[in-house]
DNA sequence: TCATTGGTTGGGCATTTGCTCACACTCTGG
DNA sequence: CCAGAGTGTGAGCAAATGCCCAACCAATGA
């Protein structure tokens, strides 16, 4: 109807409006087009853009009883404070896609709290997907801190810049980890650790009220290796030392005990202590991660878990 | 794949799973059908059921700048603590449908708070729609209290049993208002008011940390009249006394001052005091309500508003 | 036992939607 | 001023979806 060419309307505005009419209003794309005074194709493109830009968030209210049962079982078996199990998507699909909305919901519960919290994040696909799903919360009083940087030894940044996207979305003060994931020498690492801002970040991380991390496997698919943070020989060195998994660069064996090798001493992230009192929530799913996840749970490196149905079953088997 | 006839799976479970695969997983209905081992038609029915049962919740992240501007304007003009404006749906559609998701989001922010709150609710279409949209929050420590009952003089209950649905959904202790909306005589009303449980509910209502209400107009479309709570002659009596609107049965004039007539003295609800410090959030939209809404804002009967774009514009005009 | 009824299932069809392709328009550099 | 690259637009079509209808099944009552 109103087809005045306001100077203020951004493309996102249009997309959001189209998405609103379509998803919330339940109009057909023809009707949306008529309402906005554009062609049907354009309406369809706007709706698609709204979805692609992550403006549209879909959540399910109902907990499927099978998943609920698994949550209870996981909580008991591993002494967790929190377990969320989502239905599995058919094999082949990106698993992080499935856990992300549930993880976002967990995070939002913390974000909604009125007292200021320190919220710590790792990196990785799962966390990145969670960041996309979080709905923006206005003026929350929290601070967010990164437990690991995303800078590879060659200086390039991996895609999963969780903390920046989170900070951008939530408008919160944020403290990135300045130490590179891995340095060349122990001396260099020590140099970084001596920096004031680094110490401040470590201090914040140690006092985080809640921590969200992914869990990385240490087989050939290891994210640390795949994303170019460690070399193949370093990976093999770690595997020989019994590494089965990794949480923000802290590498542990099948019992969930951190291991210590030449390579681990070069890794510059905050090491989450085992058996923490404050919530440490892992977001992880996928059969290839089972070993790493079971070890992390056994070693009490995490006390909360967001995963999917098939992974939960495998963990309990 | 797994077509075992588990005894535990309810129809809702199936619907939820289908909805999950479809909406979150982004599968086509054919794929959902294959995954669940049912026919495509059944899959389509399950997905539709998931939607119809309100299992699927869609929210938009982006605030359309036009709406944001209106929020700011409303806040300034009427001294509000909170204003939320959603894009308008084309004329003719149920307006409460549009405001509901936004209102639910506001409510969820309170529900997520860890300290126990007293949350008070009115009734009506808008609140009822909000209740449908709220996503279940596990073991929150709050109590919810009703400000007005939904029992008509003939003993029948109106559909909008907000507090019961809310309590059911959120598993919270709830305190329904026992006094009928309107009694036959002042003596009868006094009798009700003397009851211990009624006094307890009034006490809770007075101490509510946050209050959600609808706003009713007092023209021929008045909800109080339409839903059979007051007779035509009572409506006319009120109109003669200058009534333009109503909040949980508290009837006010164009300046937002509560009015006092034979009829109002029979109404048995909690009267929200003007200029309350704690948030009192109205959820209302629609051109027919403009007069009532403007009056309520003028009289500071509410200090928060969730409405839609066209209503907001009309209010500011 | 059998007919009736209420509800569920799958087939078929009209509508809606996603996508590709060719074209137009604009912006930039020669 | 023109050529070329890149972005955006509308037409058309195949796939996906929603919906109606006839058939089927289970339960009830005569």
């Amino acid at each position: 109807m109103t087809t005045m060419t306001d100077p203020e309307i951004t493309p996102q505005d249009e997309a959001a409006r189209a998405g609103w009419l379509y998803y919330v209003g339940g109009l057909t794309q023809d009707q949306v087009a008529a309402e906005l005074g554009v062609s049907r194709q354009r309406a369809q493109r706007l709706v698609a853009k709204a979805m692609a830009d992550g403006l549209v968030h879909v959540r399910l209210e109902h907990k499927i009883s099978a998943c609920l049962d698994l949550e209870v079982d996981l909580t008991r078996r591993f002494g967790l404070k929190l377990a969320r199990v989502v239905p599995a998507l058919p094999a082949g699909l990106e698993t992080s896609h499935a856990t992300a909305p549930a993880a976002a919901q967990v995070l939002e519960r913390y974000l909604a709290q009125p007292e200021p919290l320190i919220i710590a994040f790792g990196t990785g696909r799962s966390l990145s997907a969670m960041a996309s799903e979080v709905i923006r919360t206005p003026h929350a009083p929290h601070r967010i801190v990164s437990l690991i940087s995303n800078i590879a030894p060659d200086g390039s940044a991996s895609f999963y810049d969780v903390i920046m996207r989170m900070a951008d979305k939530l408008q919160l003060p944020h403290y990135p980890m300045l130490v590179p994931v891995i340095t060349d020498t122990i001396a260099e690492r020590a140099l970084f650790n001596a920096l004031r801002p680094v110490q401040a970040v470590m201090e914040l991380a140690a006092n985080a009220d809640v921590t969200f991390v992914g869990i990385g496997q240490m087989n050939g698919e290891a994210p640390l290796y795949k994303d170019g943070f460690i070399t193949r020989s370093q990976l093999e060195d770690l595997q020989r030392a019994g590494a089965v998994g990794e949480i923000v660069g802290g590498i542990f064996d099948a019992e969930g005990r951190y291991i210590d090798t030449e390579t681990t001493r070069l890794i510059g992230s905050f090491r989450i202590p085992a058996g923490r009192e404050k919530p440490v929530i892992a977001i992880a799913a996928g059969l290839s991660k089972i070993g790493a996840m079971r070890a992390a749970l056994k070693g009490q490196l995490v006390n909360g878990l967001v995963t999917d149905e098939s992974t939960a079953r495998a963990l309990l088997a």
Side-chain angles (χ1 to χ4, degrees), chain A residues 152-172:
Chain A
D154 65 1
S156 73
S158 83
F159 303 117
Y160 314 123
D161 194 351
V162 175
I163 196 167
M164 288 307 237
R165 291 195 19 231
M166 208 66 100
D168 187 48
K169 205 160 196 177
L170 305 173
Q171 301 286 329
L172 295 180

Side-chain angles (χ1 to χ4, degrees), chain A residues 27-111:
Chain A
L27 306 199
T28 137
Q29 296 187 352
D30 276 320
Q31 295 172 296
V32 173
E35 190 67 19
L36 267 54
V38 300
S39 71
R40 187 188 74 79
Q41 287 85 344
R42 183 150 171 72
Q44 129 78 352
R45 275 185 198 110
L46 287 172
V47 170
K49 180 179 164 60
M51 182 54 90
D53 290 1
L55 269 44
V56 180
H57 295 257
V58 182
R59 297 214 177 142
L60 274 199
E61 159 88 34
H62 186 77
K63 290 207 182 184
I64 295 164
S65 56
C67 293
L68 248 169
D69 292 346
L70 287 169
E71 291 178 8
V72 173
D73 290 351
L74 282 174
T75 311
R76 292 235 183 91
R77 172 82 152 275
F78 298 108
L80 298 178
K81 292 184 201 296
L82 174 145
R84 285 287 284 121
V85 176
V86 302
L89 294 177
L93 272 108
E94 189 66 57
T95 50
S96 60
H97 192 239
T99 50
Q105 214 160 357
V106 172
L107 170 57
E108 280 167 24
R109 284 189 65 74
Y110 289 99
L111 290 173

Side-chain angles (χ1 to χ4, degrees), chain A residues 119-165:
Chain A
I119 306 176
F121 294 99
T123 36
R125 272 191 169 66
S126 301
L127 283 252
S128 182
M130 172 175 81
S132 312
E133 285 294 325
V134 169
I135 293 184
R136 188 196 159 121
T137 318
H139 40 264
H142 317 302
R143 284 176 292 176
I144 63 186
V145 56
S146 186
L147 299 172
I148 185 169
S149 89
N150 64 335
I151 307 295
D154 65 1
S156 73
S158 83
F159 303 117
Y160 314 123
D161 194 351
V162 175
I163 196 167
M164 288 307 237
R165 291 195 19 231

Side-chain angles (χ1 to χ4, degrees), chain A residues 63-280:
Chain A
K63 290 207 182 184
I64 295 164
S65 56
C67 293
L68 248 169
D69 292 346
L70 287 169
E71 291 178 8
V72 173
D73 290 351
L74 282 174
T75 311
R76 292 235 183 91
R77 172 82 152 275
F78 298 108
L80 298 178
K81 292 184 201 296
L82 174 145
R84 285 287 284 121
V85 176
V86 302
L89 294 177
L93 272 108
E94 189 66 57
T95 50
S96 60
H97 192 239
T99 50
Q105 214 160 357
V106 172
L107 170 57
E108 280 167 24
R109 284 189 65 74
Y110 289 99
L111 290 173
Q113 303 200 0
E115 68 269 26
L117 299 179
I118 302 168
I119 306 176
F121 294 99
T123 36
R125 272 191 169 66
S126 301
L127 283 252
S128 182
M130 172 175 81
S132 312
E133 285 294 325
V134 169
I135 293 184
R136 188 196 159 121
T137 318
H139 40 264
H142 317 302
R143 284 176 292 176
I144 63 186
V145 56
S146 186
L147 299 172
I148 185 169
S149 89
N150 64 335
I151 307 295
D154 65 1
S156 73
S158 83
F159 303 117
Y160 314 123
D161 194 351
V162 175
I163 196 167
M164 288 307 237
R165 291 195 19 231
M166 208 66 100
D168 187 48
K169 205 160 196 177
L170 305 173
Q171 301 286 329
L172 295 180
H174 56 290
Y175 300 82
M177 176 64 69
L178 299 171
V179 193
V181 173
I182 192 157
T183 45
D184 285 336
T185 65
I186 291 185
E188 193 182 341
R189 204 210 126 155
L191 219 64
F192 269 107
N193 274 15
L195 296 174
R196 269 291 290 287
V198 170
Q199 289 176 344
V201 167
M202 292 290 184
E203 171 87 16
L204 277 173
N207 291 311
D209 295 294
V210 55
T211 305
F212 290 87
V213 296
I215 297 182
Q217 62 271 49
M218 291 302 290
N219 53 27
E221 301 292 301
L224 272 186
Y225 167 63
K226 281 279 182 180
D227 294 341
F229 292 113
I230 60 175
T231 64
R232 171 149 281 279
S233 70
Q234 285 174 320
L235 175 62
E236 283 160 0
D237 164 50
L238 290 167
Q239 285 171 339
R240 266 192 304 277
V244 305
E246 155 264 327
I247 287 179
V248 290
I251 292 161
F252 50 82
D253 65 15
E255 297 301 310
R257 290 170 308 217
Y258 286 117
I259 60 176
D260 215 6
T261 73
E262 289 295 323
T263 309
T264 63
R265 278 188 278 273
L266 299 175
I267 293 175
S269 61
F270 177 79
R271 177 174 286 192
I272 295 169
R276 205 139 185 234
E277 261 311 300
K278 296 278 180 70
V280 179

